[in-house]
Amino acid sequence: MALTHDPLSFIHAVAYDDLPKAVQDQTILNVLDLVGVGIGGAQTKLSKIICNHAEFQFEGRHRMLFDGRRASATGAALALGMTIDALDGHDGFNPAKGHIGCGVFAGAVAIAQETGLKDGREFLATIAMGYELGGRLALALHGTVPDYHTSGAWVAVAGAAIGARLLKLDPDQTRHALGIAEYHGPRSQMMRDIDYPTMVKDGSGWGAMAGVSAAFLARDGFTGAPAITLEQAPEYWADVGQRWISLEQYYKPYPVCRWAQAPIEGVLELRRTHGLTPEDVERIEVETFHESVRLATNEPKNTEEAQYSTSFPCAVAMAKGTVGPEDIADDALTDPELMRLSKSLRMIEDESANAMFPAKRLARVRLILCDGRTLQGEWMTPRWDAEAPPTPDELREKFHSITDPLIGESAAGNIEASLFGLPDLGLRPLLELLSQPMRR
């Protein structure tokens, strides 16, 4: 069918068969990546706290993913969004300076549980719709207000759209749901968490909760002011249903902030080229853009500080040749050689890198060696950008690298099979598998 550029109509009109085959396939891979990161995130203290909170403060009948206990739909959305966000390894959208999938998936699962949705094709179409709205909502918000808001600010509106679709709200109720979500969504300032890394993270869980709540409120007659990002920013919506933002996501090979990933690649390239060990390196220098320079925590005390650091994951990369979830866990932050390298790193702001942000996240690494030599690398970008995305096999390998050590190859394989079987097997088998406790 010909899809309208009107976002309010697109919410309800787009069907699985309307999606290009590439979008259908990528949506499954996006969910696979989110689930893998969520299983890793479930091991964190953040996830345990938020799931405890959801169980006791949002009492309900829906089983929380990766946890197994029960909460309301709003509580389940909060817990799932924050559990995925607890491990900073999920997909993102460069122009948005944030993440779509985390909050969209959390909201979709919560409303699917509430409505008893079984149709896997409808679930995937809803996720794809959420990506298309989420990306444009982010662009509209960042293009019309001065603050740099976390993903939760616009994920809330995308979550309300998901709720409106799956709850089958009429057009008037849909407008109110979107308006409530935009008004009450968490317009939290991203750079506050960069400067002071804590468990508040990127706001995706809170955004998912706000969006789900907005849909329920609108269904019950609660009214909201029109959503400005949808109704007063038409320039961001002219290509909806034609340009597919689902195909423009980046993915993370390492579970740390995207802004630290080009520096990691720079360190790894020099390490490989010159056969270096950490003992060879006196200090590290990184030229990059302003926001990355502010990832300044060089002695992280917990995983949140390690995930929002440039120096510590660069130290891990130099020492180990990669960075995995186990390397930035709470109990992995005491190695004296890693801390020496981390404290040695100097960040330098570069105007040419600033000019390229957010479309490109550039970094150039210099290593000052203990023998007096200086090695300088080339300008690097993060791996797995939209222009050079990971292959399906690479995303599957990432999924298993996180999940197999935590839940076993057999359980991880069953989840993967259920995900790829969504169009034919439906949603229930997948949710049943994901609703089991998955903490060590």
Side-chain angles (χ1 to χ4, degrees):
M1 62 174 286
L3 294 173
T4 174
H5 66 270
D6 171 22
L8 293 175
S9 299
F10 181 81
I11 290 167
H12 295 281
V14 65
Y16 182 78
D17 289 339
D18 297 323
L19 304 176
K21 180 64 163 57
V23 175
Q24 294 176 354
D25 294 344
Q26 199 63 40
T27 301
I28 292 177
L29 288 168
N30 289 348
V31 174
L32 178 77
D33 193 59
L34 293 164
V35 167
V37 172
I39 292 171
Q43 315 311 311
T44 63
K45 184 178 180 181
L46 187 164
S47 175
K48 294 171 187 175
I49 292 172
I50 204 67
C51 289
N52 288 342
H53 178 76
E55 180 187 25
F56 290 109
Q57 302 300 328
F58 294 86
E59 184 178 352
R61 58 192 176 88
H62 303 306
R63 292 167 70 187
M64 290 181 279
L65 266 56
F66 319 128
D67 180 90
R69 289 175 291 171
R70 297 184 185 274
S72 67
T74 51
L78 170 67
L80 179 54
M82 294 194 72
T83 290
I84 296 171
D85 212 14
L87 185 64
D88 201 352
H90 45 98
D91 63 10
F93 182 46
N94 272 350
K97 300 184 286 186
H99 309 275
I100 303 172
C102 176
V104 161
F105 179 62
V109 168
I111 299 289
Q113 289 177 314
E114 178 73 17
T115 60
L117 180 68
K118 299 178 182 178
D119 187 341
R121 292 160 65 90
E122 171 62 8
F123 181 75
L124 290 171
T126 300
I127 295 285
M129 180 274 292
Y131 270 87
E132 300 311 315
L133 260 70
R136 290 171 176 83
L137 287 162
L139 294 175
L141 182 62
H142 290 318
T144 55
V145 299
D147 282 359
Y148 176 7
H149 294 111
T150 64
S151 302
W154 37 271
V155 158
V157 189
I162 287 167
R165 178 186 175 100
L166 294 182
L167 292 171
K168 303 186 186 306
L169 303 189
D170 64 34
D172 191 52
Q173 291 172 316
T174 297
R175 288 188 70 231
H176 285 299
L178 300 169
I180 296 164
E182 187 185 78
Y183 193 85
H184 285 150
R187 293 208 173 186
S188 38
Q189 294 80 35
M190 185 69 241
M191 297 310 296
R192 288 178 61 189
D193 193 48
I194 297 300
D195 293 337
Y196 304 98
T198 67
M199 293 182 182
V200 295
K201 302 292 289 247
D202 195 41
S204 293
W206 222 263
M209 178 182 69
V212 168
S213 295
F216 288 137
L217 285 167
R219 182 190 62 181
D220 295 339
F222 199 93
T223 57
I228 295 172
T229 48
L230 281 104
E231 300 194 27
Q232 297 182 28
E235 63 271 27
Y236 298 100
W237 299 99
D239 60 358
V240 68
Q242 300 168 9
R243 169 195 177 191
W244 295 93
I245 286 176
S246 305
L247 303 178
E248 299 178 25
Q249 305 304 297
Y250 67 71
Y251 302 86
K252 291 186 179 181
Y254 318 111
V256 297
C257 181
R258 187 65 169 177
W259 303 343
Q261 306 229 351
I264 291 172
E265 297 296 348
V267 168
L268 291 174
E269 180 63 23
L270 290 173
R271 182 183 189 272
R272 286 189 296 264
T273 301
H274 299 278
L276 300 173
T277 68
E279 292 76 18
D280 296 324
V281 179
E282 179 182 318
R283 69 179 187 274
I284 305 170
E285 295 183 352
V286 174
E287 296 176 90
T288 188
F289 55 96
H290 171 80
E291 286 80 2
S292 181
V293 169
R294 285 170 67 174
L295 293 170
T297 303
N298 59 15
E299 292 185 80
K301 303 297 191 298
N302 52 59
T303 186
E304 286 77 34
E305 292 183 356
Q307 291 177 51
Y308 283 136
S309 167
T310 296
S311 60
F312 187 77
C314 281
V316 172
M318 175 55 66
K320 298 188 176 183
T322 191
V323 183
E326 67 282 1
D327 299 315
I328 45 86
D330 285 329
D331 58 358
L333 308 177
T334 58
D335 184 281
E337 183 65 1
L338 291 180
M339 284 301 176
R340 178 188 73 81
L341 282 173
S342 181
K343 288 190 288 185
S344 82
L345 190 142
R346 178 187 174 212
M347 302 287 287
I348 304 165
E349 185 170 340
D350 180 87
E351 287 305 320
S352 61
N354 283 342
M356 296 294 289
F357 181 78
K360 296 287 185 183
R361 288 94 191 273
L362 297 175
R364 181 166 62 181
V365 172
R366 278 190 296 274
L367 300 180
I368 292 81
L369 304 186
C370 295
D371 63 10
R373 289 181 296 154
T374 296
L375 304 176
Q376 179 161 294
E378 302 295 327
W379 284 103
M380 306 293 287
T381 58
R383 194 152 52 98
W384 293 355
D385 259 346
E387 295 79 9
T391 66
D393 284 345
E394 286 175 320
L395 284 179
R396 284 173 149 168
E397 182 180 348
K398 175 188 171 183
F399 170 80
H400 283 284
S401 73
I402 296 173
T403 59
D404 287 4
L406 297 174
I407 62 174
E409 293 182 22
S410 177
N414 289 337
I415 290 170
E416 181 184 19
S418 293
L419 266 166
F420 282 89
L422 271 171
D424 300 316
L425 299 175
L427 184 58
R428 290 299 182 85
L430 176 64
L431 291 185
E432 183 61 33
L433 290 170
L434 297 184
S435 297
Q436 306 304 314
M438 295 186 189
R439 294 197 177 95
R440 287 188 169 185

Coordinates of all heavy atoms in Angstrom, one line a residue, residues 119-157:
D119 N 0.5 -12.2 17.5 CA 0.9 -12.1 16.2 C 2.3 -11.5 16.1 O 2.5 -10.4 16.4 CB -0.1 -11.2 15.4 CG 0.2 -11.2 13.9 OD1 1.3 -11.6 13.5 OD2 -0.7 -10.8 13.1
G120 N 3.3 -12.4 15.7 CA 4.7 -11.9 15.6 C 4.9 -10.9 14.5 O 5.7 -10.0 14.7
R121 N 4.1 -11.0 13.4 CA 4.3 -10.0 12.4 C 3.8 -8.7 12.8 O 4.4 -7.6 12.5 CB 3.5 -10.5 11.1 CG 4.1 -11.8 10.5 CD 3.1 -12.5 9.7 NE 2.6 -11.7 8.5 CZ 3.2 -11.8 7.3 NH1 4.3 -12.6 7.1 NH2 2.8 -11.1 6.3
E122 N 2.7 -8.6 13.5 CA 2.2 -7.3 14.1 C 3.2 -6.8 15.1 O 3.4 -5.5 15.1 CB 0.8 -7.5 14.7 CG 0.3 -6.3 15.5 CD 0.1 -5.1 14.6 OE1 0.2 -5.1 13.4 OE2 -0.1 -4.0 15.2
F123 N 3.8 -7.6 15.9 CA 4.8 -7.1 16.9 C 6.0 -6.5 16.1 O 6.4 -5.4 16.5 CB 5.3 -8.3 17.7 CG 6.3 -7.9 18.8 CD1 5.9 -7.2 19.9 CD2 7.6 -8.2 18.6 CE1 6.8 -6.8 20.9 CE2 8.5 -7.9 19.6 CZ 8.1 -7.2 20.7
L124 N 6.5 -7.2 15.1 CA 7.6 -6.6 14.3 C 7.3 -5.3 13.6 O 8.1 -4.4 13.5 CB 8.1 -7.7 13.4 CG 8.8 -8.9 14.0 CD1 9.1 -10.0 12.9 CD2 10.1 -8.5 14.7
A125 N 6.1 -5.3 13.0 CA 5.6 -4.1 12.4 C 5.5 -2.9 13.4 O 5.9 -1.8 13.1 CB 4.3 -4.3 11.7
T126 N 5.1 -3.2 14.6 CA 5.0 -2.2 15.6 C 6.4 -1.7 16.0 O 6.6 -0.5 16.2 CB 4.3 -2.7 16.8 OG1 2.9 -3.1 16.4 CG2 4.2 -1.7 17.9
I127 N 7.3 -2.6 16.2 CA 8.7 -2.2 16.5 C 9.3 -1.3 15.4 O 9.9 -0.3 15.6 CB 9.6 -3.5 16.7 CG1 9.2 -4.3 17.9 CG2 11.1 -3.1 16.8 CD1 9.5 -3.7 19.2
A128 N 9.1 -1.8 14.1 CA 9.6 -1.0 13.0 C 8.9 0.4 13.0 O 9.6 1.4 12.7 CB 9.3 -1.7 11.7
M129 N 7.6 0.5 13.2 CA 7.0 1.8 13.3 C 7.6 2.7 14.4 O 7.8 3.9 14.2 CB 5.5 1.6 13.6 CG 4.7 2.9 13.7 SD 4.6 3.6 15.3 CE 3.7 2.4 16.2
G130 N 7.9 2.0 15.5 CA 8.5 2.8 16.6 C 9.9 3.3 16.3 O 10.2 4.5 16.7
Y131 N 10.7 2.6 15.5 CA 11.9 3.1 15.1 C 11.7 4.3 14.2 O 12.5 5.3 14.3 CB 12.7 2.1 14.3 CG 13.6 1.2 15.2 CD1 13.2 0.1 15.8 CD2 15.0 1.6 15.3 CE1 14.0 -0.7 16.6 CE2 15.8 0.8 16.1 CZ 15.3 -0.4 16.7 OH 16.2 -1.1 17.5
E132 N 10.8 4.2 13.2 CA 10.6 5.3 12.3 C 10.1 6.6 13.0 O 10.6 7.7 12.7 CB 9.6 4.9 11.2 CG 10.0 3.7 10.4 CD 11.4 3.8 9.8 OE1 11.8 4.9 9.3 OE2 12.2 2.9 10.0
L133 N 9.2 6.4 13.9 CA 8.7 7.6 14.7 C 9.8 8.1 15.6 O 10.1 9.3 15.7 CB 7.5 7.3 15.5 CG 6.2 7.8 14.8 CD1 5.8 7.0 13.6 CD2 5.0 7.8 15.8
G134 N 10.5 7.2 16.3 CA 11.5 7.6 17.3 C 12.6 8.4 16.7 O 13.0 9.4 17.2
G135 N 13.1 8.0 15.5 CA 14.2 8.7 14.9 C 13.8 10.1 14.5 O 14.5 11.1 14.7
R136 N 12.6 10.3 13.9 CA 12.1 11.6 13.5 C 11.7 12.5 14.7 O 11.9 13.7 14.7 CB 10.9 11.4 12.5 CG 11.4 10.9 11.2 CD 10.2 10.5 10.3 NE 10.7 10.0 9.0 CZ 11.1 8.8 8.7 NH1 11.1 7.9 9.7 NH2 11.5 8.5 7.5
L137 N 11.2 11.9 15.7 CA 10.9 12.6 16.9 C 12.2 13.2 17.5 O 12.2 14.3 18.0 CB 10.2 11.7 18.0 CG 8.7 11.4 17.6 CD1 8.3 10.2 18.4 CD2 7.8 12.5 17.9
A138 N 13.2 12.4 17.5 CA 14.5 12.9 18.1 C 15.0 14.1 17.2 O 15.5 15.1 17.8 CB 15.5 11.7 18.0
L139 N 15.0 13.9 15.9 CA 15.4 15.0 15.1 C 14.6 16.3 15.3 O 15.1 17.4 15.3 CB 15.3 14.6 13.6 CG 16.3 13.5 13.2 CD1 16.0 13.1 11.7 CD2 17.7 13.8 13.4
A140 N 13.3 16.1 15.4 CA 12.4 17.3 15.6 C 12.7 17.9 17.0 O 12.7 19.2 17.1 CB 10.9 16.8 15.5
L141 N 12.9 17.1 18.0 CA 13.1 17.7 19.3 C 14.5 18.4 19.3 O 14.6 19.6 19.8 CB 13.1 16.6 20.4 CG 13.4 17.1 21.8 CD1 12.3 18.0 22.3 CD2 13.4 15.9 22.8
H142 N 15.5 17.8 18.8 CA 16.8 18.4 18.8 C 16.9 19.6 17.9 O 17.7 20.5 18.1 CB 17.9 17.4 18.4 CG 18.2 16.3 19.5 ND1 18.2 16.6 20.8 CD2 18.4 15.0 19.3 CE1 18.5 15.5 21.5 NE2 18.5 14.5 20.6
G143 N 16.0 19.6 16.9 CA 16.0 20.7 15.9 C 15.2 21.9 16.4 O 15.2 23.0 15.7
T144 N 14.4 21.8 17.4 CA 13.5 22.8 17.8 C 13.7 23.4 19.2 O 13.0 24.3 19.7 CB 12.0 22.4 17.7 OG1 11.8 21.2 18.5 CG2 11.7 22.1 16.2
V145 N 14.6 22.7 20.0 CA 14.9 23.2 21.4 C 16.4 23.2 21.6 O 17.1 22.5 20.9 CB 14.2 22.3 22.5 CG1 12.7 22.3 22.3 CG2 14.7 20.9 22.4
P146 N 16.9 24.1 22.5 CA 18.3 24.2 22.7 C 19.0 23.1 23.5 O 20.2 22.8 23.3 CB 18.4 25.6 23.4 CG 17.2 25.7 24.1 CD 16.1 25.1 23.3
D147 N 18.2 22.5 24.4 CA 18.9 21.5 25.3 C 19.1 20.2 24.6 O 18.4 19.8 23.6 CB 18.0 21.2 26.5 CG 18.0 22.3 27.5 OD1 18.8 23.2 27.3 OD2 17.3 22.2 28.5
Y148 N 20.2 19.5 25.0 CA 20.5 18.1 24.5 C 19.8 17.1 25.5 O 20.3 16.9 26.6 CB 22.0 18.0 24.4 CG 22.5 16.6 24.0 CD1 21.6 15.6 23.6 CD2 23.8 16.3 24.1 CE1 22.1 14.3 23.3 CE2 24.3 15.0 23.7 CZ 23.4 14.1 23.3 OH 23.9 12.8 23.0
H149 N 18.6 16.6 25.1 CA 17.9 15.7 26.0 C 18.3 14.3 25.7 O 18.6 13.9 24.7 CB 16.4 15.9 25.7 CG 15.9 17.3 26.1 ND1 15.4 18.2 25.2 CD2 15.7 17.8 27.3 CE1 15.1 19.3 25.8 NE2 15.2 19.1 27.1
T150 N 18.1 13.5 26.8 CA 18.3 12.1 26.7 C 17.2 11.4 25.8 O 16.2 12.0 25.5 CB 18.2 11.4 28.1 OG1 16.9 11.5 28.6 CG2 19.2 12.0 29.1
S151 N 17.5 10.2 25.4 CA 16.6 9.5 24.5 C 15.2 9.3 25.1 O 14.2 9.3 24.4 CB 17.1 8.1 24.2 OG 18.4 8.2 23.6
G152 N 15.1 9.3 26.4 CA 13.7 9.1 27.0 C 12.8 10.2 26.6 O 11.6 10.0 26.6
A153 N 13.3 11.4 26.3 CA 12.4 12.5 26.0 C 11.6 12.2 24.8 O 10.4 12.6 24.7 CB 13.3 13.8 25.7
W154 N 12.2 11.7 23.8 CA 11.4 11.4 22.5 C 10.9 9.9 22.4 O 10.0 9.6 21.8 CB 12.2 11.8 21.3 CG 13.7 11.6 21.4 CD1 14.6 12.4 21.8 CD2 14.4 10.4 20.9 NE1 15.8 11.9 21.7 CE2 15.7 10.7 21.2 CE3 14.0 9.2 20.4 CZ2 16.7 9.8 20.9 CZ3 15.0 8.3 20.1 CH2 16.3 8.6 20.3
V155 N 11.6 9.0 23.1 CA 11.1 7.6 23.2 C 9.8 7.6 23.9 O 8.9 6.7 23.5 CB 12.2 6.8 24.0 CG1 11.5 5.5 24.5 CG2 13.3 6.4 23.1
A156 N 9.5 8.5 24.8 CA 8.2 8.5 25.4 C 7.1 8.7 24.4 O 6.0 8.0 24.5 CB 8.1 9.7 26.5
V157 N 7.3 9.6 23.4 CA 6.2 9.8 22.4 C 6.1 8.6 21.5 O 5.0 8.2 21.1 CB 6.5 11.1 21.6 CG1 5.4 11.4 20.7 CG2 6.8 12.2 22.5

